[in-house]
């Protein structure tokens, strides 16, 4: 398969770029003794898990189907977490997970009997401190429902628990800021942690960011795990998959209403939802900061404000031209939807040997079936 022959829109995951991130993960593990489980809610395109498996220890989940997917397609350790389990969920998940992490003391009390003897038992704590750019993604926001807060903890619980999970970072590129959070946790919860086998520090630690001081992070994690006598885990999502995939689109029209807009055969609301939710403009490979030709890169959905970005190019864009929307792996493919009946992007992997392999494609039948499988009689 030649890239130029593939029909847009499509995602192209690059194996070499993925391995570059995974090598950093490996370095972190070797230096610190931390175990790493992939957060499936960020990225769960299991067609490439064979590339990731040798580097990570397993998966973690935010819902029951992710547990099953991690168990079936990744293996290793399968952590099961959910903000709210039903009894059926717990029964389904308990047999296939290694660790069951409850979000509240009430869920723990209601369901622990279904887990004991089957999986290691954990509880999510909310440290009350965090690092997150936006309130929407801040686990320590006011009235947060994510984890048990310090002043609500029943200390007796720690004699019957195996571990705890904290998750309080979002794209934290600052190793010192992370270490401050680690110290705050050690100070506030240390006496509890001493009684446990394992502690997960969640995701959002951006150790694959260029220039990130992995050695400093590793030393802090190692010291923490030795101090409290626990096996540490991190649950990276974005850090593993960052900058490994492009969303490739075609310019289908150019309109001018005060500004030039290039309309492409994709939409943020359907195919790159975080652009819209977090109001974070996308970056285009072909753009040039010093270019004279400015365009809105507009989507082909009907939502008035649905655009990828405003950017410049050295030459005027032309209908039929392809654009590469950078860094489109994490929190994208897991959120694809059929809004407007737009064609969902296919998914390909560009292997290290140059070969292109197809992982997924979608058609009208997928769209139709996602809406109803049966009609009323
Ligand atoms: C979202 C989430 C992660 C992954 O976060 P990234 O920012 O993608 O690393 C890990 N653990 C929990 C509990 C999460 O909610």
């Amino acid at each position: 398969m030649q890239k130029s022959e593939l029909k847009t829109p499509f995602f192209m995951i690059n194996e070499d770029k993925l391995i570059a991130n995974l090598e950093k993960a490996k370095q972190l593990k070797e230096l610190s003794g931390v175990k790493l489980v992939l957060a499936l809610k960020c990225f769960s395109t299991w067609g490439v898990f064979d590339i990731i498996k040798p580097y990570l220890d397993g998966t973690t989940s935010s819902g029951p189907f992710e547990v099953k997917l991690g168990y079936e397609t990744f293996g290793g350790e399968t952590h099961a977490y959910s903000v709210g389990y039903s009894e059926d969920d717990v029964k389904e998940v308990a047999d296939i997970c290694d660790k069951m992490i409850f979000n509240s003391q009430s869920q723990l009390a209601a369901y622990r009997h279904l887990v004991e003897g089957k999986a290691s038992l954990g509880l999510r704590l909310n440290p009350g401190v965090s690092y997150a750019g936006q309130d929407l993604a801040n686990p320590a926001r006011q009235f947060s429902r994510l984890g048990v807060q310090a002043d609500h903890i029943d200390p007796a619980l720690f004699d019957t628990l195996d571990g705890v999970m904290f998750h309080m970072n979002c794209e934290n590129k600052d190793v010192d800021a992370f270490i401050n959070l680690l110290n705050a946790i050690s100070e506030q919860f240390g006496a509890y942690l001493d009684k446990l086998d394992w502690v997960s520090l969640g995701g959002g630690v951006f150790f694959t960011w260029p220039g990130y001081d992995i050695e400093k992070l590793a030393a802090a994690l190692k010291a923490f795990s030795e101090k409290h006598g626990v096996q540490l885990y991190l649950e990276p999502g974005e850090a593993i998959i960052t900058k490994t995939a492009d969303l490739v689109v075609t310019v289908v029209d150019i309109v001018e209403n005060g500004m030039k807009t290039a309309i492409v055969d994709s939409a943020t609301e359907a195919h790159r939802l975080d652009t819209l939710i977090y109001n974070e403009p996308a970056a285009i490979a072909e753009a040039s900061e010093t270019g004279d030709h400015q365009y809105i890169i507009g989507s082909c959905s009907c939502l008035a404000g649905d655009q990828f970005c405003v950017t410049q190019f050295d030459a005027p864009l032309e209908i039929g031209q392809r654009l590469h929307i950078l860094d489109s792996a994490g929190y994208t493919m897991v959120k694809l939807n059929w809004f407007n009946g737009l064609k969902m992007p296919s998914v390909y992997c560009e292997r290290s040997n140059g070969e292109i392999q197809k992982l997924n494609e979608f058609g009208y039948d997928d769209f139709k079936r996602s809406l109803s499988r049966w009609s009323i009689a």
Side-chain angles (χ1 to χ4, degrees):
M1 259 184 279
Q2 290 292 319
K3 260 192 259 184
S4 57
E5 289 166 13
L6 306 178
K7 284 219 168 80
T8 63
F10 62 85
F11 291 101
M12 184 64 74
I13 303 167
N14 184 287
E15 181 175 17
D16 284 339
K17 292 178 182 171
L18 184 53
I19 287 177
N21 287 344
L22 291 166
E23 286 292 338
K24 292 184 181 177
K26 184 175 163 189
Q27 185 196 1
L28 175 63
K29 284 178 55 173
E30 285 172 356
L31 291 174
S32 67
V34 73
K35 289 188 179 182
L36 300 178
V37 287
L38 179 68
L40 293 180
K41 75 152 195 257
C42 171
F43 180 79
S44 45
T45 302
W46 52 269
V48 296
F49 281 179
D50 277 350
I51 299 169
I52 304 177
K53 279 182 210 175
Y55 290 89
L56 303 185
D57 296 283
T59 57
T60 190
S61 52
S62 298
F65 283 176
E66 285 187 352
V67 183
K68 199 167 175 180
L69 189 76
Y71 176 77
E72 273 184 15
T73 66
F74 200 104
E77 291 188 38
T78 305
H79 292 200
Y81 165 72
S82 171
V83 174
Y85 280 116
S86 71
E87 184 169 341
D88 284 347
D89 292 340
V90 177
K91 284 180 180 161
E92 203 173 311
V93 160
D95 288 321
I96 56 171
C97 71
D98 298 277
K99 294 184 174 55
M100 175 77 92
I101 303 167
F102 290 105
N103 184 62
S104 70
Q105 292 175 113
S106 47
Q107 288 240 306
L108 176 66
Y111 300 131
R112 65 182 303 153
H113 66 284
L114 297 172
V115 180
E116 275 161 342
K118 290 184 170 175
S120 188
L121 202 58
L123 180 66
R124 179 170 180 172
L125 301 181
N126 190 320
V129 286
S130 61
Y131 183 103
Q134 299 197 29
D135 193 52
L136 181 63
N138 181 2
R141 76 211 291 265
Q142 198 181 19
F143 313 123
S144 175
R145 72 195 184 292
L146 304 175
V148 185
Q149 293 176 6
D151 53 349
H152 291 99
I153 288 176
D154 169 8
L157 274 184
F158 291 87
D159 297 319
T160 66
L161 272 182
D162 301 307
V164 291
M165 184 264 275
F166 298 91
H167 171 69
M168 63 285 175
N169 286 282
C170 184
E171 301 201 358
N172 186 348
K173 297 160 186 157
D174 178 348
V175 67
D176 294 312
F178 178 74
I179 290 172
N180 286 341
L181 293 175
L182 203 56
N183 291 337
I185 287 174
S186 184
E187 218 165 276
Q188 197 174 8
F189 302 95
Y192 301 142
L193 306 189
D194 291 343
K195 298 184 171 182
L196 302 174
D197 299 330
W198 55 266
V199 172
S200 175
L201 295 164
V205 183
F206 222 149
F207 57 82
T208 49
W209 194 253
Y212 192 100
D213 191 343
I214 291 180
E215 290 177 17
K216 192 170 187 180
L217 173 67
L221 293 172
K222 192 157 187 265
F224 185 98
S225 71
E226 283 167 1
K227 182 175 177 192
H228 297 294
V230 290
Q231 171 65 51
L232 276 188
Y233 289 84
L234 288 177
E235 306 173 350
E238 188 63 46
I240 299 300
I241 204 70
T242 184
K243 295 187 174 158
T244 62
D246 296 339
L247 171 56
V248 185
V249 299
T250 299
V251 176
V252 294
D253 196 11
I254 294 171
V255 297
E256 185 163 359
N257 297 296
M259 270 178 89
K260 285 196 169 113
T261 298
I263 297 175
V264 300
D265 56 353
S266 178
T268 70
E269 192 173 22
H271 306 154
R272 207 176 189 282
L273 201 51
D274 275 15
T275 317
L276 192 64
I277 294 176
Y278 294 103
N279 193 22
E280 285 174 352
I284 309 284
E286 290 78 4
S288 152
E289 267 180 36
T290 54
D292 292 331
H293 302 273
Q294 189 180 55
Y295 291 85
I296 298 170
I297 305 302
S299 96
C300 62
S301 87
C302 67
L303 178 69
D306 189 348
Q307 62 186 50
F308 289 90
C309 57
V310 179
T311 191
Q312 290 78 239
F313 297 86
D314 287 333
L317 293 181
E318 286 171 22
I319 291 171
Q321 181 176 353
R322 288 186 173 196
L323 298 175
H324 292 68
I325 301 170
L326 297 170
D327 201 11
S328 297
Y331 300 100
T332 56
M333 289 172 228
V334 292
K335 294 189 176 188
L336 293 178
N337 65 67
W338 288 110
F339 188 56
N340 279 202
L342 298 181
K343 186 176 177 289
M344 254 185 210
S346 311
V347 184
Y348 296 94
C349 180
E350 181 171 11
R351 306 300 308 271
S352 296
N353 64 9
E355 202 183 315
I356 308 262
Q357 292 181 334
K358 190 192 288 180
L359 304 176
N360 214 349
E361 72 183 346
F362 304 91
Y364 171 74
D365 288 342
D366 298 305
F367 167 56
K368 187 177 175 193
R369 177 154 159 182
S370 77
L371 298 167
S372 293
R373 283 177 66 181
W374 303 279
S375 59
I376 54 170

